[in-house]
Amino acid sequence: MATTQPAAVDRPPTIHDIAALCGVAASTVSRALSTPDRVNIRTRQRIEAAAAQLNYIPNSQAKALSSGRTGAVGVLVPDITNPFYFDLIRGTQLQLKAAGYTQLLVDTEESDEVEASTMEQLRKSADGIVVAASRLSDDALLAAAAKMPMVTINRDVPGVPAVLIDTPSATSQALDHLISLGHTRIAYMAGPPTSQSSERRWTALSVAAEERGVEVRRLGPFAPKTQSGAAAADAAVHSGVTACIAFNDLIAIGMLQRLRERGIRVPEDMSIVGCDDIFGADFCNPPLSTMASPIEQAGRVAVSMLLAQLNPLAGGGTRSRSVMPTHLTVRASTGPAPAAAVATPATPATPGLG
Amino acid sequence: MATTQPAAVDRPPTIHDIAALCGVAASTVSRALSTPDRVNIRTRQRIEAAAAQLNYIPNSQAKALSSGRTGAVGVLVPDITNPFYFDLIRGTQLQLKAAGYTQLLVDTEESDEVEASTMEQLRKSADGIVVAASRLSDDALLAAAAKMPMVTINRDVPGVPAVLIDTPSATSQALDHLISLGHTRIAYMAGPPTSQSSERRWTALSVAAEERGVEVRRLGPFAPKTQSGAAAADAAVHSGVTACIAFNDLIAIGMLQRLRERGIRVPEDMSIVGCDDIFGADFCNPPLSTMASPIEQAGRVAVSMLLAQLNPLAGGGTRSRSVMPTHLTVRASTGPAPAAAVATPATPATPGLG
DNA sequence: TCATCAATGACAACCGGTTGCCAAACTTTG
DNA sequence: CAAAGTTTGGCAACCGGTTGTCATTGATGA
């Protein structure tokens, strides 16, 4: 009675339990479950039945250790609480789950060091990673990509597969929109210095502005948080522009709040365009005109590209670059440029009363 | 020359590499790194130096397989895109990282089946789980908690450690607030039928309403999405109430939008109270009065309780229940009850004119 | 009917650590 | 100086699978 039980009462069943139950070797069970063709169909059926009966679930740790593949993919985002990443995360999660992978989500806290150390750790526990809005240098990113399969989102480094969100072209659309409303002095409220997408957007914007003969000045940098919006709003007002294109909706919404506090009307006195169309952009006050893009789809595409890289079985050259379309969604935060505004709003008191 | 290299060029170093470099057995290396006292200090230092030199990083998979502990904790939320969970997730992430654990975040898609199967899978790959707003039955939850360490958030099941957010008492505060503004006919816009916190809130609300002699009716259920707010708003208007307490801010914000569309002013014609104080509650139009609670702290506390359960080393009885305080934040979506409203809006005709 | 070959399934090594057990070496005590 | 006690570190089994190798089996062809 004191001998070992064939199957311990509470311990999850292993292939050895199945093997014992069927009277075959454990390796046969392994093959029956992972390489069905290598095993007699009758044996296989017996094994499958036993597995079902025992409610067998393979141990992913053990599988990872022996096969080298973990069945997990790391997803790195700079800030989980930034609504922009919600849909992205949901997109990656959906696509990964559909492919039977587990998502390891990590908030890198907008820090390149955290990002780098996370990558190093993930190198063992994930088959690949999706990196959104990396804060790493091009070189560091390239080096990391050499060590493990990687797809970046919104970060263009030659040699590293990427999903790019075409905000530069949307930025031109936004500029045209503002020009058509009569604005001629416009500001770009820049994002963090380490954000490549902020740079790309600014480049596109200044080129487009030159082509169209309007003045666009760059203000900032501003942290991508609503709190930074106050400083951004003050800077915009002080610079005398009548319209702003913000790095993202967080900054834009923060500006909306600050302008309201200061009694500056949007869009009558100042027009604001955001970017990303995050949760909240449609119900803030006034609802925000913004550049929208299919973020969830971007997440899904990034995962697809990564998985294609991991399992090169199916034909079709692995795409290494994918650009997501973007469009301008006009709501109520943009309107005609103030008529007399050119000579008054920001600096009038001082010279006017002198 | 063809013999095996002491350390293969590109493969991450293992304890065997360290052992070879120091001329000791692999087990000694293992002990030196995990049980330093079991090893001579000089040997240990040599090993530590070699480990540093090789840039050794332990393989968490292998460690998990042999020790049984994975160093990971699963965090299950019903909907990643619900802003309520952002701060919660950030709280768990911070606390877990501080303790050297990895967070496995899973979106259970508001489905009890996904939740159950996720738990089963996590049983192998995580040391414990934090379950927010579980959709499972009490029995299922209790059974799951017997199989692996678990802490729930916002779910009170005897025998399962939990962090509870004291929204019932905040609900009473909200009720008092509305009463003090002159409201006497109030609606509770209920959440999903499977949400226990919705039930708890309703119970507290109806008891408080009875004590205070006001009428509170229950409407719904409504899915916790802004889209449901439209139906909720219509139901509220039709029922003739002058104030609503919504299950959460998502529904409340949706109501705000719908009421605006229908030309019903908030708070002049209708007062709205939300719950959770999510991202957006402060900048929607009008800014939402809502019940706020320290969500991030709730996440941290949940993780602390779970870790205490996993490592019962340090003294101090493990708390099995923790209640987070909640308070009402009054913004602009609540105001005095409409003066004549008592006799007019929805059902006045029938009794009033009879 | 015998040789050839493909299909099948068992054995054992291996992934990278952890840990129980034991022997050698060293320290302390009588 | 010997006996007893304490460190210290090595051996080997083990966690739960995967996979290379090989013997056995049955079917096919000559």
Side-chain angles (χ1 to χ4, degrees), chain A residues 219 232-241 244 255 259 262 264 270 345-347:
Chain A
L219 301 175
D234 292 346
V237 170
H238 179 259
S239 73
V241 301
C244 298
M255 291 179 73
L259 293 173
R262 293 189 51 178
I264 296 164
M270 174 86 79
T347 51

Side-chain angles (χ1 to χ4, degrees), chain A residues 57 86 90 104 107 124, chain B residues 57 65 86 90 104 107 124:
Chain A
I57 299 177
F86 301 161
R90 162 152 275 195
L104 299 177
D107 180 339
K124 259 65 166 291
Chain B
I57 299 177
L65 184 57
F86 301 161
R90 162 152 273 197
L104 300 176
D107 181 337
K124 258 65 166 293

Side-chain angles (χ1 to χ4, degrees), chain A residues 271-286:
Chain A
S271 286
I272 304 285
V273 176
C275 184
D276 296 343
D277 196 16
I278 63 172
F279 173 85
D282 57 332
F283 63 72
C284 58
N285 186 14

Side-chain angles (χ1 to χ4, degrees), chain B residues 261-333:
Chain B
E261 282 172 24
R262 293 189 49 177
I264 297 164
R265 297 166 303 163
V266 176
E268 291 80 358
D269 302 328
M270 175 86 79
S271 287
I272 304 285
V273 177
C275 184
D276 296 341
D277 195 17
I278 63 172
F279 173 85
D282 59 330
F283 63 72
C284 58
N285 186 12
L288 191 64
S289 295
T290 187
M291 297 173 262
S293 42
I295 309 294
E296 180 175 325
Q297 193 186 339
R300 287 211 303 268
V301 170
V303 167
S304 299
M305 287 171 60
L306 184 65
L307 296 185
Q309 199 176 332
L310 294 179
N311 316 316
L313 42 104
T318 307
R319 271 183 319 172
S320 70
R321 205 138 306 256
S322 175
V323 177
M324 310 304 293
T326 305
H327 66 274
L328 183 69
T329 294
V330 176
R331 296 202 182 93
S333 68

